[in-house]
């Protein structure tokens, strides 16, 4: 069964304190792994798609990496505006459906 | 204008009432999805559609129905609402420019009392 587990459930950081969020997955043939940001009461906002082990993508203070079993979202020198829930999802071969994890709620304090 | 628009944004309804949530998109994408989000459970797929004539059940379709009126419109109905259908509902399209990741609407917060 395809499955996504994210850790930690919640993370509190001081502004400027770098850290990483983890997404572990099992899938019957990975087509893509996706990262989203979700602000309270809003729809998830697309961040990255990763396709194969070793791939990395960057956007501002965020960098996503992928191995055969997990993905990391690295946050470098976070700012309060980075506070949000970060969702990971996988897509198996021959399907469009995304299987989501339950997310990591990140709070960054000044 | 948003790429994916959901209406209403918020709705309170009574148990047993029929309610429809609407979704429209301006991107011309063929594939559309309805998810619900509950605290601690994440996003779960209700129904999806690959085109007007192709409708498929997701993992939690019981108690729901959908209609794909046109490529741009995909509606979700609760035939007889019950309190455990209280949730945040999202419509999404599959976006080739994002590696077939999704573009989501802003959501409908539904409360069944």
């Amino acid at each position: 069964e395809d499955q996504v587990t994210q850790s930690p459930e919640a993370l509190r950081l001081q502004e400027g304190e770098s850290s990483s969020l983890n997404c572990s997955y099992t899938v019957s043939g990975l087509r893509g792994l996706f990262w989203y940001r979700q602000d309270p009461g809003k729809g998830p906002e697309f961040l990255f798609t990763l396709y194969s082990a070793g791939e990395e993508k960057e956007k501002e203070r965020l960098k996503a990496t992928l191995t055969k079993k997990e993905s990391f979202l690295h946050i470098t020198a976070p700012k309060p505006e980075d506070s949000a829930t970060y969702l990971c999802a996988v897509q198996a071969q021959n399907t469009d459906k995304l299987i989501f994890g339950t997310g990591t709620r990140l709070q960054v304090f000044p | 204008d948003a790429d994916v628009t959901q209406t209403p944004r918020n709705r309170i309804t009574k148990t047993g009432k029929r309610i429809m949530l609407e979704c429209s998109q301006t991107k011309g994408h063929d594939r559309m999805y309805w998810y619900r989000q509950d605290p601690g459970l994440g996003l779960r797929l209700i129904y999806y559609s690959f085109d007007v004539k192709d409708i498929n059940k997701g993992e939690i379709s019981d108690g729901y129905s959908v209609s794909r009126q046109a490529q741009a419109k995909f509606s979700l109905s609760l035939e007889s609402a019950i309190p455990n259908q209280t949730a945040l509902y999202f419509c999404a399209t599959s976006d080739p420019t994002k590696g077939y990741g999704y573009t989501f609407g802003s959501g409908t917060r539904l409360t069944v009392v």
Side-chain angles (χ1 to χ4, degrees):
Chain A
E1 180 184 350
D2 301 336
Q3 194 169 344
V4 177
T5 302
Q6 292 188 246
S7 62
E9 288 187 12
L11 182 63
R12 293 164 56 99
L13 298 174
Q14 202 72 32
E15 185 173 3
E17 179 186 2
S18 301
S19 188
S20 297
L21 313 182
N22 177 263
C23 171
S24 298
Y25 66 91
T26 56
V27 65
S28 51
L30 182 69
R31 181 179 182 182
L33 184 141
F34 303 83
W35 282 98
Y36 289 85
R37 170 192 170 125
Q38 186 175 23
D39 293 299
K42 296 188 177 181
E45 176 188 345
F46 173 80
L47 292 173
F48 305 110
T49 308
L50 301 167
Y51 297 102
S52 58
E55 188 174 3
E56 298 182 352
K57 294 270 180 78
E58 286 190 65
K59 180 179 180 180
E60 297 180 353
R61 295 177 292 281
L62 301 177
K63 183 168 86 171
T65 62
L66 181 65
T67 73
K68 289 186 176 180
K69 294 185 177 180
E70 56 191 351
S71 177
F72 291 94
L73 185 65
H74 306 277
I75 303 177
T76 302
K79 297 182 177 181
E81 53 262 42
D82 294 321
S83 297
T85 295
Y86 290 85
L87 301 173
C88 173
V90 296
Q91 190 176 61
Q93 296 285 352
N94 302 316
T95 180
D96 256 19
K97 292 184 287 184
L98 295 188
I99 307 298
F100 284 86
T102 53
T104 293
R105 188 174 70 254
L106 174 67
Q107 293 178 291
V108 182
F109 295 91
Chain B
D1 287 343
D3 295 336
V4 181
T5 301
Q6 291 184 236
T7 57
R9 287 300 314 274
N10 294 281
R11 180 74 180 266
I12 299 174
T13 191
K14 293 184 177 181
T15 298
K17 292 291 187 181
R18 184 180 189 274
I19 181 170
M20 179 182 288
L21 310 183
E22 300 192 2
C23 176
S24 63
Q25 52 116 346
T26 59
K27 300 293 284 184
H29 295 155
D30 289 325
R31 303 182 178 194
M32 299 185 72
Y33 303 80
W34 276 104
Y35 279 82
R36 68 177 276 176
Q37 188 174 39
D38 299 276
L41 295 178
L43 285 154
R44 293 182 292 164
L45 181 62
I46 306 172
Y47 269 96
Y48 60 104
S49 170
F50 287 169
D51 64 39
V52 174
K53 295 181 180 180
D54 186 1
I55 306 290
N56 304 278
K57 293 182 177 181
E59 60 181 302
I60 55 163
S61 59
D62 288 348
Y64 301 94
S65 62
V66 291
S67 172
R68 186 81 182 266
Q69 302 94 322
Q71 185 197 43
K73 295 183 181 295
F74 192 34
S75 301
L76 176 72
S77 293
L78 287 68
E79 297 301 325
S80 179
I82 56 177
N84 77 357
Q85 291 177 313
T86 293
L88 194 52
Y89 289 84
F90 289 104
C91 175
T93 69
S94 180
D95 190 342
T97 66
K98 296 173 182 172
Y100 291 96
Y102 296 166
T103 297
F104 284 88
S106 297
T108 294
R109 183 171 296 281
L110 177 66
T111 303
V112 183
V113 298

